[in-house]
Amino acid sequence: MNVATDTRSRIIAAAKPRFHSRSYANVGIQEICESAGVQKGSFYHFFPSKRDLVMAVIDEFADEWAHGFVAEAFDPALPPMERIDYLVDAAYFWQKSIKQVHGRMLGCIFGNLTLEVSTQDDILRAKLLAIFSRAKSRFKATLEEAVAAGTIAPLDADLTAEAMLAYLEGVILLAKSQNDPEVIYRLGPAIKTLRVEKAA
Amino acid sequence: MNVATDTRSRIIAAAKPRFHSRSYANVGIQEICESAGVQKGSFYHFFPSKRDLVMAVIDEFADEWAHGFVAEAFDPALPPMERIDYLVDAAYFWQKSIKQVHGRMLGCIFGNLTLEVSTQDDILRAKLLAIFSRAKSRFKATLEEAVAAGTIAPLDADLTAEAMLAYLEGVILLAKSQNDPEVIYRLGPAIKTLRVEKAA
DNA sequence: ATGCTAGTTGACCGTTCGGTAAAATGCAAG
DNA sequence: CTTGCATTTTACCGAACGGTCAACTAGCAT
């Protein structure tokens, strides 16, 4: 069982950076297997299909974020609005370090996959949507706390949270188009100027 | 020459909706040729490579926008800030009509392609970057006009323009993840709340 | 020791991929 | 009437694609 777990996670470990740095369609099972030192038949013992692999990869990225930067950023000890700054900073430093190692800005794997596959695979789209939905909830709770604390004027927390998430993804997209994480540094802080007023 | 032009444009016409609704990697030359009623050898007479085709497709989309919605939105007769509203509205109605016909929200082809290929093909990335750069210029000029007219308080027009473009792309991304153009309707108007202050 | 099962192997499936080359066709200018 | 060029056709290339299958191995419980 330990060996089994190891093979499975070696496959995922080989797939992660590839899906992140290229695209879903551009990464083949064969390449992943070679890199993981696993036979193709063995791959299909653990994953019924390529889609199931990428779902596992999505989960791993999500967990990594949830227990890493996101947990740090949304620390209840921090003043609410500073959490958002922290998150944007984290995105910036992460992309910057990736570029230093890899030579390229890879962007957000959830955004990347969303635009690539969501017209072709509703199951993947739903998976990605769930990730975004959780992210939005974090923003929303933070905004509600900030409003309650009087840090910011009352607003529509739900829509503003969604707007902030959209902005973050958009900034990362633009940064990727320039292959330059500094775009995140320059544009990121403006996230706090976004506001959707409460409906009358 | 007329026949030649026709073949070439039939190829592009077949390729456009496919690249828009699926992805670069997922659309094959063969399929495009079949749909256009063109032989593969004939395809390679007009396009040296698949990449050259997608560049032509990008140009067509860019022209279509530039002479359509964008020209309408950035009408100098309109008050500057209303132009931005107009553009967001145009994006909304366009995506909505696409969904009515096609059943899916396809999003922005420039954003889609950017996230898919920009780590793998610097020439395509540069092409897409140029598109974004022009779009940003439109926003910037509009913002400068609004500041000059006293409609909005002075700000860093360059960075705010970039932020607005990022936000628009992000909103479309999120809408695509939900396969729902109404997201653009709900979040779009908040674009005007974005501000980057002038550096001291 | 035997039988069951999870895991592994490597060969194989048909299909599609982007791209090539040579021969055939159509057409227009000299 | 012929030369020359742009266009088109057809057949083909090697490689890669996602996925399947039957045979084999190893470990563990009865």
Side-chain angles (χ1 to χ4, degrees), chain B residues 23-80:
Chain B
S23 71
Y24 180 62
N26 198 58
V27 177
I29 309 283
Q30 190 169 309
E31 177 192 347
I32 291 168
C33 288
E34 278 163 15
S35 156
V38 162
Q39 235 58 34
K40 199 188 271 196
S42 210
F43 171 93
Y44 279 99
H45 176 74
F46 290 98
F47 300 97
S49 71
K50 187 184 184 184
R51 182 214 271 160
D52 290 276
L53 168 64
V54 84
M55 296 239 260
V57 167
I58 290 169
D59 280 330
E60 281 244 339
F61 269 105
D63 286 353
E64 194 178 297
W65 266 91
H67 299 117
F69 292 130
V70 172
E72 287 174 36
F74 289 104
D75 178 358
L78 256 57

Side-chain angles (χ1 to χ4, degrees), chain A residues 63-77:
Chain A
D63 286 353
E64 194 178 296
W65 266 90
H67 299 116
F69 291 130
V70 173
E72 287 174 35
F74 289 104
D75 177 359

Side-chain angles (χ1 to χ4, degrees), chain A residues 1 3-4 7 39 41-42 45-46:
Chain A
M1 192 210 266
V3 178
T7 299
Q39 235 59 32
S42 208
H45 176 74
F46 291 98

